Amino acid sequence: MIVQPNDVGWIEVICGPMFSGKTEELIRRLKRAQYAEQNLQVFKPRLDDRYHDDSIVSHDESALSSEPVESVEDIRDRLQPSTEVVGIDESQFFGSELADFAGELAGEGCRVVVAGLDLDYRGEPFEPMPRLMARSEYVTKLLAICVKCGNPANHSYRLASDPQQVLVGSDDEYEARCRRCFQEGYPSSSSESSSEDN
Ligand code: ADP
Ligand code: ZN
């Protein structure tokens, strides 16, 4: 469990694949801050328009109101001086400047809670999450359940064949898969598995 520091800011990262409950966990943490009457601002990238435009909504439909933003600069412009807790969902859609910005906020005494995909659909680290993890005080890695075999799933497997890294979608475009079922889905790029010889 997180032991919360006093009188200083810090960064919490919630990461994992799609359907692992990142948004649920972000909402849970932010609602507790709300109950404690802390000044809270919640942001999400505007391009994530899967659900309501002015809320973050998890796949099980829990929700919290949020401000859709275009960029890190947009967050900076909207930030109120009285804000004590900043929540950011779908953080993988902001550029690597989010890591510096989160560090800046924490340095000014804010609690910064960021949620996002740590791996893209190819299984490659998805910036800025790795940087945010390195700069953070707390990292929570969540796993989903593999839809093929029921094992813990750390991958978001893309069903569509669109090669761009950012393709906003949900249940019909992606599924949660474990390491093995992920590799089996991409037979031509499964060279990693050849290290079994060692
Ligand atoms: P994330 O933000 O990580 O995509 P959400 O918090 O939006 O996750 O949604 C998590 C919810 O997704 C779970 O509580 C569950 O209801 C649902 N879900 C759908 N598919 C799966 C799966 N394969 N494994 C786990 N949960 C799933
Ligand atoms: Zn599996």
Side-chain angles (χ1 to χ4, degrees):
M1 251 342 281
I2 289 175
V3 178
Q4 296 197 344
N6 243 332
D7 294 332
V8 288
W10 69 94
I11 302 173
E12 297 164 38
V13 174
I14 303 167
C15 64
M18 286 184 69
F19 309 109
S20 61
K22 299 183 299 299
T23 303
E24 261 170 40
E25 178 59 18
L26 178 66
I27 291 172
R28 189 188 71 82
R29 291 188 196 180
L30 296 176
K31 280 194 172 162
R32 287 167 70 222
Q34 229 174 20
Y35 292 132
E37 299 189 345
Q38 294 171 344
N39 291 321
L40 182 74
Q41 276 186 279
V42 188
F43 301 99
K44 67 169 190 178
R46 195 180 294 281
L47 66 92
D48 179 28
D49 57 358
R50 288 178 296 176
Y51 305 102
H52 314 265
D53 207 31
D54 54 356
S55 301
I56 54 171
V57 183
S58 71
H59 290 108
D60 76 344
E61 299 284 302
S62 57
L64 189 68
S65 64
S66 70
E67 303 175 50
V69 288
E70 303 288 345
S71 62
V72 167
E73 256 339 280
D74 205 0
I75 300 178
R76 195 189 286 281
D77 292 345
R78 287 160 183 267
L79 216 56
Q80 306 292 322
S82 60
T83 295
E84 299 160 282
V85 181
V86 175
I88 305 175
D89 200 12
E90 304 285 5
S91 299
Q92 76 279 357
F93 292 146
F94 294 98
S96 54
E97 64 267 32
L98 183 61
D100 291 339
F101 180 63
E104 217 179 283
L105 289 181
E108 288 164 8
C110 269
R111 174 185 176 195
V112 184
V113 192
V114 294
L117 293 170
D118 49 356
L119 294 178
D120 67 16
Y121 77 100
R122 301 165 304 185
E124 294 297 328
F126 206 159
E127 286 294 350
M129 300 313 291
R131 257 167 215 276
L132 279 164
M133 282 189 243
R135 296 250 167 89
S136 70
E137 276 80 1
Y138 304 101
V139 175
T140 302
K141 175 140 181 169
L142 300 174
L143 297 170
I145 304 293
C146 176
V147 296
K148 293 283 174 197
C149 74
N151 274 312
N154 63 335
H155 284 287
S156 311
Y157 181 82
R158 186 184 284 178
L159 299 165
S161 58
D162 194 321
Q164 63 189 27
Q165 188 182 38
V166 175
L167 173 66
V168 183
S170 195
D171 314 32
D172 37 342
E173 277 106 2
Y174 295 93
E175 60 188 27
R177 289 202 183 187
C178 73
R179 180 181 293 279
R180 188 184 56 202
C181 296
F182 176 77
Q183 285 174 355
E184 284 171 0
Y186 296 120
S188 57
S189 62
S190 62
S191 51
E192 276 177 51
S193 59
S194 63
S195 58
E196 279 168 13
D197 300 338
N198 304 331

